[in-house]
Amino acid sequence: MLKYMKYELKGTYKFMLAIILTVLGASTGLQIYAKNLFMSESSIQPNAISVLFITIMGFLIFGAFITALFYIIGSFRKELYEDRGYLTFSLPLTGNQILGSKTLIALMWAALLILFSLLYNFVLAMVLHGGIVFDELIDSFRFLFSLGVNDIIITIFLAFIFSGISTLLLIYFSIALSRVTIRNKKVGGMWFIIFLILNSLLAYLTVVSVEVFPFYFDMSNFKIIAESDLAHYMGNNIGYIMSAGSNSGMVVSSTNGVILNIGSTLFSILMTIGIFLGTSYLIERKIDL
């Protein structure tokens, strides 16, 4: 499995490094423009050229992230539709190992892209604007931690990662399912329609699971709360309720931390495990190159 991951890295690193360099280059242009704007003694009114420059840099950054996403998706699709699959499926690897390797490499590139973008912009801002950026960042973190919302930040961060992994696995499952049911590769976009249908169905089932099991779990004190007692328990402190389709059933309070619906949380975890195993089964037993 490690050798296959190494093979995956060799096949993708040039393109992904180009994506990262594109983001860093566009970020540099925006930061230098912002520095010149702030350092100017006279008031500068935005003109057509500056608006066009900002728009192009913005599209470059946004386009680089979208391109990276579709490149990762395309890398999995090539295994099922292109000659490259003959090599992959001739290796002594199980479906779980192939899918696990693909998923880990995709997550690694996504993490590197985000991490490099954040760190580079932070360092560049310090170079251009001096230590004031570092001081303001430290002050921001101190203010954030003083609010006592550490549990909320950590839980939302973990939920964001989990949501990204489950969405990526659902995309892989949709591609594998379209390969098994519709073998004609000319209908290559059919996986996207399957993905939309499955995503809508799973979002609906997530909402249903909240209604079927109306109990919540308080992350701060490990207490279980019935839905009928939720309003009394939270009082007027409910700050945000995650929308259906993402993390339905998660309730975030400004003072009581994070409260998760037990039904939707269990359903989301089991659904993600099921999608992983289902995709592994399809690529190991049903794909006929």
Side-chain angles (χ1 to χ4, degrees):
M1 182 174 170
L2 291 178
K3 290 182 178 178
Y4 180 64
M5 291 177 67
K6 186 178 178 181
Y7 166 76
E8 275 289 306
L9 280 175
K10 284 185 176 179
T12 56
Y13 81 93
K14 290 183 179 178
F15 186 87
M16 294 305 298
L17 286 180
I19 290 289
I20 292 174
L21 291 176
T22 300
V23 173
L24 301 189
S27 300
T28 303
L30 285 176
Q31 288 224 41
I32 292 177
Y33 174 81
K35 175 180 172 57
N36 293 333
L37 185 65
F38 292 141
M39 294 297 292
S40 176
E41 295 181 356
S42 61
S43 176
I44 298 179
Q45 296 297 326
N47 54 39
I49 295 179
S50 62
V51 171
L52 179 63
F53 175 77
I54 295 173
T55 303
I56 291 175
M57 294 299 105
F59 271 115
L60 275 177
I61 296 174
F62 178 74
F65 278 92
I66 296 297
T67 303
L69 173 64
F70 279 94
Y71 182 76
I72 290 171
I73 294 171
S75 176
F76 181 79
R77 188 177 178 278
K78 284 180 182 177
E79 301 287 0
L80 306 185
Y81 283 97
E82 306 293 341
D83 293 340
R84 173 177 168 166
Y86 289 105
L87 173 61
T88 301
F89 292 106
S90 64
L91 297 173
L93 295 173
T94 65
N96 289 341
Q97 290 172 324
I98 293 174
L99 181 60
S101 300
K102 284 283 185 184
T103 305
L104 288 175
I105 293 298
L107 294 175
M108 185 203 74
W109 281 126
L112 287 178
L113 180 57
I114 295 173
L115 190 63
F116 271 113
S117 301
L118 292 176
L119 287 178
Y120 176 79
N121 278 283
F122 174 67
V123 172
L124 182 60
M126 287 187 64
V127 172
L128 294 177
H129 304 284
I132 187 173
V133 175
F134 181 77
D135 295 337
E136 290 182 354
L137 185 65
I138 294 297
D139 291 340
S140 300
F141 276 117
R142 284 176 179 168
F143 174 74
L144 202 58
F145 287 124
S146 69
L147 297 176
V149 293
N150 302 356
D151 293 342
I152 296 176
I153 295 174
I154 293 173
T155 305
I156 292 179
F157 176 72
L158 294 177
F160 176 76
I161 294 177
F162 179 78
S163 179
I165 295 173
S166 61
T167 301
L168 180 64
L169 289 175
L170 185 60
I171 290 173
Y172 285 166
F173 180 75
S174 302
I175 294 174
L177 189 61
S178 68
R179 178 64 176 84
V180 172
T181 55
I182 306 170
R183 298 176 183 272
N184 189 352
K185 66 179 181 181
K186 292 182 178 179
V187 197
M190 185 58 67
W191 71 266
F192 186 66
I193 298 175
I194 295 175
F195 168 74
L196 292 179
I197 295 173
L198 291 178
N199 193 45
S200 301
L201 177 63
L202 293 175
Y204 171 75
L205 292 176
T206 304
V207 175
V208 171
S209 66
V210 176
E211 299 175 354
V212 171
F213 201 80
F215 291 92
Y216 291 79
F217 181 74
D218 192 333
M219 300 287 291
S220 60
N221 56 20
F222 306 106
K223 185 177 181 180
I224 296 177
I225 308 114
E227 188 174 64
S228 57
D229 299 329
L230 188 63
H232 176 72
Y233 184 79
M234 300 290 286
N236 297 321
N237 296 321
I238 295 179
Y240 183 60
I241 299 177
M242 301 293 281
S243 61
S246 54
N247 291 283
S248 179
M250 175 186 287
V251 180
V252 178
S253 164
S254 59
T255 57
N256 288 26
V258 180
I259 297 177
L260 299 174
N261 177 267
I262 297 175
S264 65
T265 301
L266 290 177
F267 176 78
S268 298
I269 294 173
L270 294 176
M271 175 192 69
T272 301
I273 295 173
I275 290 173
F276 181 88
L277 295 177
T279 309
S280 300
Y281 174 79
L282 289 178
I283 63 178
E284 184 175 339
R285 301 293 180 85
K286 297 296 182 182
I287 300 297
D288 183 14
L289 296 176

